[in-house]
Amino acid sequence: MDRTSEKQQSSLMKNALIEALISAAIALALSIFMIGLRTSTATGGLVLTYRIPLVASLVTLVFFGRLAFNLFWWSRSTVHTKGPKRRGTRKKQLGTGVLSLPRVSLFLVFSLPIILFVLNAKLNLGLPLRYWFDIATLVLTYIMLGWGLNIVVGMAGLLDLGYVAFYAVGAYSYALLAQHFGLSFWLCLPLAGLLAACWGALLGFPVLRLRGDYLAIVTLAFGEIIRIILLNWYQFTGGPDGLSGIPRPSFFGLPFKRYGDNTFHLFFGLEYSTLHRILFLYYLILILALITNAITNKVRCLPIGRAWEALREDEIACRSLGINTVNTKLTAFATGAMFGGFAGSFFATRQGFISPESFTFIESAIILAIVVLGGLGSQIGVVIASIVMIGGFELIRNMAWLKLVFGQDFDPSLYRMLLFGMAMVTIMVWKPRGFISRREPTVFLKETAL
Amino acid sequence: MEYFAQQMVNGVTLGSVYGLIAIGYTMVYGIIGMINFAHGDIFMISTFISLITFIALLSIGITWIPLALLIVLIISMAMTAVYGWTVERLAYRPLRASFRLAPLITAIGMSIVLQNYVQIVQGARVKPLPPIIKGSYTLMEKNGFTVQISNMQILIILTTIILMLAFSALISKTSLGRCQRACEQDQTMAALLGINVDRTISLTFIMGASLASVAGLMYLLYYGVIDFYIGFVVGIKAFTAAVLGGIGSLPGAMLGGLIIGLVETFWSAYFSIEYKDVAAFSILIIVLIFMPSGLLDKPEVEKV
């Protein structure tokens, strides 16, 4: 080995050590008070308990972690290319052929649950199907919300931090209409969508002249206003107690009940199972979500969809080309809100109970995170992000084996949101443009053959 | 009238706290044009650090309150600044050249992380602190109703005024302030002229976090109860204040803070306490309808 490379090696080692020491010092500063000293309530005020070993192990972990990172990872990738890779070079043939990926997955999401259900019943496999279907339904709800918000944020480029307000409007509309007027789910669904769309347009008016981040704070404020009203208007919304006893949906008039004359299982000559309703809810949200997607894709090619995308790119250019920006913005808000309203009434009928607690800012943030992490404006990206962020973290809640590693006091659900936040940061830093950064242009310039 | 004057005193105190936090939002927005959603949680962390330091000092025998408070302030400012710096380094710096929404998402993510981190390491219960600074002055007395200003309120308002003056001087007179203003206008050009842009931005975050920690100590002493969730509520209010005043403008942040504080206090006093947040947010929406870029911001002319 010659001199210079040896020298390089030693200076590399030295730098790595210094950086690791700095990291460890920062970790010490961060943790010494917050982790090292825990306040707990006792008689006569707060007392401190010391947890120095925890801090020490954390700092050591950071030190060696950073050292290993510097030596084995960064030293190799010093010449890694920055900047975006060339786009458009990879051509994925996603949309052609009978056995293309979208079709196969569509077929699977439609048939797999029913196959599993039948197999489970016939062969007594004892799979926790209810749990799986619940997670799938939850993920699909977020996919639908993500697609709804994608219209506002991804297509029209209007940053909306209060999307959950429309979700709440939809849920409360359905609950109140069904309870006070006895309307059925199928009648309430369009009404809830309509009401949410009206609220969307209502929010649209004051924000017409606002740009960028001013828009963000106003939508956030709007979401909070709706939540506070729901929380305090006790006579109308039940306040913090929420609304319970919301009617469950029926299969075109056939209720999912064990006893009764005209129930679902009697009509179809099946044995009663609680899974019927769960399965029905799964298909319901699946179809609602697919309708959302279909409409979005269709509208994208219509003049209004093109106007939304043009608005996202440049508002001034839009105006100078004669696009009515007022109408464009209002329709974007109203359409996005309408899908939020649909999802909301589905949520209400699925839960049977709603309270303002389900509609906090964190929900808006999660939906926005799904849209951005998936890749702004990408429909498939929303699906991927929902599966990862919602499905993945729902699984963590029930990981019993973690208890074996960290001891019996370990509560995985406590760490769920912490990991969720970390994942948001990590994914964004790793892929700043989201999972699917490639945008399918809706208009092509026809190139003539040379 | 007396009731009004008393609410005025309370409102100005609350507004000062909001204003101090709002400055952190506005400085970061001014320099890199992003909403630092984690700032409210940095504030929350600072209240926890203050509380822990204070109890630790008492337990080792430092019971002379002015000295203890001074030490608490210094430690809290330093530690919170480290948190501010770390958040910037981990979540925002890698995305500096990225598109607008990316840092917003990492900021929300960081906010979730900080909240849950504090919940895990310090517990979800509210932490009470008995009042430390007691005593008050009677400003006027009429018809059996007294208008009082407590020593704590005087301390908060004075600290805010001093910090405001110091910061205005720092931005307009010192070389760091010049660097900040240069980065605000054009980062590439500033870098070409030899300004260390990354360092300037880091310093901005450190300054914002230190101010938040002063506000945090004030909040802790004034209200006496904290939990891991206060960062969200106070942060949103402070951010509203910053936008109301015209985001990016220092006097605007202070003015916005005062307006939000006063609106909230008067609404609770005369109407209903439940809807005080609705009142604050409604003021924001109404003002923005007529002045789309806030009260003190000069209207931005967008050029093609």
Side-chain angles (χ1 to χ4, degrees):
Chain A
M1 202 185 270
D2 69 82
R3 260 289 159 72
T4 48
S5 81
E6 215 169 89
K7 222 180 211 171
Q8 254 179 356
Q9 204 72 23
S10 76
S11 83
L12 193 73
M13 186 72 198
K14 206 174 126 201
N15 282 342
L17 265 177
I18 290 172
E19 279 184 12
L21 272 178
I22 292 173
S23 303
I26 289 166
L28 181 70
L30 290 180
S31 59
I32 183 94
F33 285 99
M34 291 305 287
I35 301 179
L37 303 167
R38 185 186 168 118
T39 52
S40 38
T41 324
T43 46
L46 292 169
V47 287
L48 290 175
T49 28
Y50 296 88
R51 293 187 296 187
I52 302 301
L54 191 64
V55 174
S57 49
L58 197 85
V59 170
T60 330
L61 196 74
V62 167
F63 177 77
F64 285 108
R66 180 69 195 255
L67 194 66
F69 195 70
N70 270 5
L71 288 181
F72 303 114
W73 181 258
W74 274 0
S75 60
R76 242 185 282 161
S77 60
T78 40
V79 282
H80 73 279
T81 47
K82 269 195 172 178
K85 285 173 197 158
R86 277 187 60 193
R87 275 183 285 172
T89 44
R90 280 179 302 157
K91 272 223 168 131
K92 272 190 210 155
Q93 295 291 328
L94 272 175
T96 51
V98 186
L99 280 177
S100 66
L101 193 63
R103 285 187 193 199
V104 170
S105 46
L106 206 59
F107 177 73
L108 276 181
V109 293
F110 263 106
S111 58
L112 204 59
I114 202 102
I115 293 173
L116 278 175
F117 174 68
V118 172
L119 279 181
N120 197 33
K122 290 268 187 273
L123 302 176
N124 269 328
L125 290 174
L127 297 170
L129 278 188
R130 189 192 162 122
Y131 174 62
W132 291 356
F133 290 157
D134 273 341
I135 289 187
T137 312
L138 189 73
V139 170
L140 278 169
T141 315
Y142 276 95
I143 290 177
M144 173 152 180
L145 285 169
W147 277 340
L149 186 61
N150 212 354
I151 295 176
V152 185
V153 181
M155 285 170 75
L158 303 162
L159 179 53
D160 188 348
L161 285 177
Y163 190 65
V164 81
F166 309 122
Y167 190 44
V169 167
Y172 274 86
S173 305
Y174 168 63
L176 292 168
L177 284 172
Q179 280 188 340
H180 291 289
F181 301 103
L183 300 181
S184 80
F185 175 75
W186 297 105
L187 197 61
C188 288
L189 189 70
L191 284 177
L194 205 66
L195 277 170
C198 288
W199 279 96
L202 197 71
L203 167 66
F205 272 112
V207 304
L208 281 173
R209 284 170 64 199
L210 303 179
R211 293 187 311 112
D213 302 302
Y214 288 93
L215 186 76
I217 182 69
V218 171
T219 51
L220 199 166
F222 180 78
E224 281 295 294
I225 288 176
I226 296 266
R227 190 182 64 85
I228 295 167
I229 290 175
L230 289 178
L231 197 62
N232 289 309
W233 195 0
Y234 201 83
Q235 295 83 1
F236 188 57
T237 62
D241 304 338
L243 294 168
S244 53
I246 299 166
R248 300 296 193 156
S250 54
F251 187 80
F252 300 105
L254 304 171
F256 294 93
K257 281 183 189 158
R258 187 184 285 272
Y259 307 109
D261 293 330
N262 203 12
T263 58
F264 177 79
H265 66 282
L266 285 179
F267 188 84
F268 285 97
L270 300 166
E271 202 177 325
Y272 176 77
S273 161
T274 48
L275 273 179
H276 287 159
R277 198 185 71 230
I278 312 272
L279 208 57
F280 170 68
L281 285 171
Y282 170 81
Y283 281 110
L284 182 63
I285 187 68
L286 180 64
I287 288 166
L288 281 175
L290 287 177
I291 289 173
T292 310
N293 184 34
I295 291 180
T296 311
N297 280 341
K298 202 84 213 158
V299 167
R300 234 183 175 156
C301 307
L302 295 178
I304 184 71
R306 303 243 199 272
W308 287 343
E309 290 192 320
L311 189 71
R312 175 188 68 202
E313 300 302 334
D314 196 328
E315 191 172 337
I316 291 179
C318 265
R319 245 186 267 151
S320 57
L321 286 171
I323 291 173
N324 185 343
T325 50
V326 172
N327 282 352
T328 314
K329 280 186 187 178
L330 285 184
T331 45
F333 267 116
T335 319
M338 184 181 73
F339 290 122
F342 288 154
S345 42
F346 171 79
F347 175 76
T349 191
R350 174 174 173 242
Q351 298 283 339
F353 166 76
I354 46 171
S355 74
E357 230 162 74
S358 313
F359 308 106
T360 49
F361 168 71
I362 199 79
E363 290 296 316
S364 290
I366 289 175
I367 302 166
L368 182 70
I370 284 173
V371 172
V372 179
L373 291 178
L376 218 51
S378 159
Q379 299 287 89
I380 253 330
V382 169
V383 177
I384 298 173
S386 300
I387 292 173
V388 172
M389 300 304 283
I390 304 298
F393 283 96
E394 207 52 41
L395 289 176
I396 288 181
R397 202 198 282 269
N398 298 60
M399 282 186 182
W401 57 268
L402 285 175
K403 278 200 172 151
L404 299 176
V405 184
F406 293 103
Q408 276 306 312
D409 312 331
F410 185 77
D411 180 13
S413 63
L414 198 61
Y415 292 83
R416 193 176 137 252
M417 282 316 280
L418 184 75
L419 289 175
F420 188 91
M422 285 181 180
M424 264 166 87
V425 176
T426 321
I427 295 173
M428 215 65 244
V429 171
W430 171 52
K431 276 188 173 297
R433 286 229 157 239
F435 288 124
I436 308 283
S437 52
R438 198 168 54 116
R439 261 194 207 148
E440 293 289 345
T442 47
V443 195
F444 291 96
L445 182 66
K446 296 256 170 19
E447 279 178 39
T448 47
L450 289 170
Chain B
M1 180 60 207
E2 286 75 28
Y3 189 58
F4 181 84
Q6 181 67 60
Q7 296 309 326
M8 195 76 184
V9 171
N10 296 346
V12 169
T13 314
L14 183 64
S16 305
V17 175
Y18 285 157
L20 279 180
I21 308 168
I23 290 174
Y25 278 106
T26 233
M27 282 202 313
V28 166
Y29 189 89
I31 200 161
I32 51 174
M34 68 160 281
I35 306 172
N36 182 10
F37 250 99
H39 192 63
D41 298 287
I42 296 279
F43 159 79
M44 178 268 297
I45 290 226
S46 83
T47 63
F48 270 85
I49 293 176
S50 303
L51 177 71
I52 292 168
T53 321
F54 192 75
I55 296 175
L57 284 179
L58 288 185
S59 72
I60 59 169
I62 298 175
T63 45
W64 192 50
I65 297 297
L67 177 68
L69 283 185
L70 193 67
I71 299 175
V72 166
L73 183 68
I74 291 167
I75 290 182
S76 163
M77 278 175 87
M79 294 297 156
T80 315
V82 177
Y83 270 95
W85 181 85
T86 312
V87 167
E88 194 269 339
R89 183 69 192 79
L90 289 180
Y92 307 150
R93 192 181 291 180
L95 294 168
R96 185 98 7 108
S98 181
F99 80 128
R100 200 168 53 88
L101 278 183
L104 181 73
I105 295 296
T106 52
I108 294 175
M110 265 297 161
S111 162
I112 296 176
V113 167
L114 290 177
Q115 257 179 40
N116 286 277
Y117 161 72
V118 173
Q119 190 190 355
I120 289 168
V121 298
Q122 294 290 336
R125 290 224 195 141
V126 290
K127 311 275 177 199
L129 185 73
I132 293 163
I133 298 177
K134 298 186 189 108
S136 59
Y137 294 98
T138 306
L139 288 182
M140 53 178 170
E141 194 163 1
K142 217 195 252 173
N143 312 333
F145 193 91
T146 52
V147 180
Q148 288 192 321
I149 182 164
S150 67
N151 288 345
M152 192 59 232
Q153 286 174 323
I154 296 175
L155 181 68
I156 290 178
I157 294 169
L158 274 184
T159 315
T160 308
I161 292 172
I162 293 170
L163 280 176
M164 260 315 282
L165 292 177
F167 261 75
S168 306
L170 198 140
I171 298 288
S172 58
K173 297 269 158 55
T174 64
S175 71
L176 172 65
R178 268 196 301 281
C179 289
Q180 281 181 323
R181 280 179 287 147
C183 290
E184 208 173 311
Q185 288 180 1
D186 192 332
Q187 284 186 18
T188 322
M189 195 61 211
L192 281 176
L193 293 175
I195 292 171
N196 189 339
V197 175
D198 275 343
R199 207 181 120 247
T200 312
I201 293 174
S202 287
L203 277 172
T204 308
F205 272 84
I206 287 173
M207 277 156 61
S210 316
L211 275 181
S213 84
V214 178
L217 180 60
M218 300 294 155
Y219 184 96
L220 175 70
L221 294 176
Y222 190 49
Y223 288 99
V225 276
I226 54 169
D227 62 27
F228 71 99
Y229 199 64
I230 55 166
F232 174 71
V233 183
V234 177
I236 293 289
K237 295 283 178 50
F239 181 47
T240 308
V243 174
L244 187 66
I247 196 158
S249 137
L250 228 57
M254 215 52 238
L255 179 69
L258 281 179
I259 291 174
I260 294 287
L262 286 171
V263 165
E264 230 185 275
T265 314
F266 278 111
W267 193 275
S268 326
Y270 287 99
F271 301 102
S272 64
I273 197 158
E274 291 90 6
Y275 288 106
K276 66 178 165 85
D277 294 357
V278 174
F281 290 137
S282 306
I283 288 287
L284 170 83
I285 295 179
I286 292 165
V287 167
L288 286 185
I289 289 176
F290 296 106
M291 307 169 98
S293 44
L295 289 169
L296 288 190
D297 202 23
K298 44 184 177 300
E300 230 173 282
V301 182
E302 207 180 337
K303 290 177 191 147
V304 186

